[in-house]
Amino acid sequence: MPDAGLLPIDPGARRAILGAVDSLADDATALLAQLVRHRSLLGEEAGCLDAMAAAFAGLGLGLAPRRVPVHVDRLAGMSGFSPPLMSYAGRDNVAAVHRPRQRQGRSLMLQGHVDVVPEGAADLWATPPFEPDIRGGRLYGRGAGDMKAGLVSIVMACAALRRAGLQPAAELQLAAVIEEECTGNGALAVMHALPRPDACLIPEPGPGFPALYVAEVGVVWAWVTITGRPAHVRDMQAGVNAIEAAYVLMERFRAYEDAMNRAERRHPAFAGDNHPINVNFGTLTGGEWNSSVATRARLGVRVGVMPGHSCHDVRTEIEALVAQAADDPRLRGARLGVEFKGFMADGCVFPRDQPIAQAVTATHRAVTGTELRHYSATGLTDARFYTLYGGTQATCYGPDAENIHGIDESVGLDAVHDVTRVLALTIAGWCGLEAA
Ligand SMILES: [Zn+2]
């Protein structure tokens, strides 16, 4: 496989590596099930992080996993930092670095996140969200696709090299991080704690077909607090209902979303997508009593950011939007306050001709006989840090997942297997190989 600047892989070694991935298929499914059983919601990642540390340590590559804390005081001034939602105590990321005896190829970071989003209404799931279930060749469970399957592919790709009696002939960094789903500060901390790799590859799930990420939007999280005027419901007109005021605010956000999606605002990477910028009302809490006019409500909003448009500009636009909404006569004097916690993230383009993109594309073609398609994601990943602030290249390529962030999330086990094979041979061609 001489294209994409990959080092040639001896045919015998290639056969041995692919055979080893096959022989590890049951282990891969077992590890995926184990990881899904960890209910690694925000703030509850410790068990899953321990499992990943054990998986890295068990690879036989002599890896000594280390903990990488998120030091807010050190990171707060760094580009890409997002305002935290909670303390980082007891939630250290896990990283492990393999060093070769004799360096031949280029270094590589393989990274995944352990955090998952809430399961939503668990009663809507066919099987409980944190009890993995296999049906029709798919493993179901929250986080199965996004992105515990990717973590499994990383571990199993390395395990296969080792089983074939080989190891990477360049530095290979492995990391399992927190908070991909709300800040990215876990990945930011790891990036600054390790030497700069020649590339970063993240097996985030694809869009339902084999794909390579070539762009992603940014995201800003805003929290709007609405304070009305309470009254007994018999004098309802004397009060100002904070929950009803939230509806006026939502209209303003929808108008903003329409403006942001206009064709002339679209980055070329999103030319084929007529609605890349999504504004989501993720949480709405408020009110005190069914027979009292609601005094206070809080709206949690996620706003997409077009590449080329700064997240800090979007923040300013949201502040202006909220200030203008406060003057809407229908609010009748309700007070609005906005704060920004969670994502403050720029969009990003992952060049389709960068070497790591070519390497993954060529390896996917060689392994599966199919062409990768290009994917411009309307959500974000941790890959942005390496591209925007890490001075290196990055992209995402991962298994076929369905219903991520939804009900009955699942991942195709055949796709996990394919991605593992591609990762193993990408490591081999990118880093080179030496005897273990
Ligand atoms: Zn993810």
Side-chain angles (χ1 to χ4, degrees), residues 304-329:
V305 179
M306 188 67 81
H309 194 63
S310 147
C311 60
H312 298 288
D313 289 346
V314 170
R315 176 192 165 122
T316 303
E317 289 159 6
I318 293 171
E319 286 169 339
L321 180 160
V322 171
Q324 286 161 14
D327 293 335
D328 190 306

Side-chain angles (χ1 to χ4, degrees), residues 22-112:
D22 290 346
S23 73
L24 287 162
D26 289 345
D27 294 22
T29 305
L31 179 59
L32 179 55
Q34 183 202 338
L35 295 179
V36 169
R37 278 190 201 98
H38 287 285
R39 191 171 182 272
S40 49
L41 301 179
L42 176 64
E44 301 175 46
E45 309 92 341
C48 199
L49 289 164
D50 288 346
M52 287 307 302
F56 290 159
L59 280 172
L61 288 168
L63 296 175
R66 55 179 274 210
R67 296 298 180 139
V68 179
V70 179
H71 289 297
V72 171
D73 46 341
R74 274 184 227 164
L75 289 178
M78 304 260 191
S79 297
F81 182 75
S82 289
L85 295 152
M86 63 181 299
S87 159
Y88 288 104
R91 306 169 59 219
D92 296 351
N93 305 281
V94 175
V97 178
H98 158 81
R99 293 195 175 82
R101 277 194 309 281
Q102 181 141 33
R103 179 176 180 274
Q104 296 173 35
R106 292 166 286 181
S107 62
L108 181 65
M109 158 63 91
L110 295 174
Q111 180 176 289

Side-chain angles (χ1 to χ4, degrees), residues 113 145-147 180-181 204-205 380-381 405:
H113 64 87
D146 186 11
M147 61 165 286
E180 188 274 346
E181 300 285 6
E204 283 276 12
L380 47 51
T381 71
H405 295 221

Side-chain angles (χ1 to χ4, degrees), residues 17 75 85 189 208 216 223 247 268 277 284 287 298 300 334 342 370 382:
I17 291 166
L75 289 178
L85 295 152
E216 64 181 32
W223 303 85
Y247 282 84
I277 297 302
L284 174 60
R298 192 164 193 249
T370 62
D382 284 332

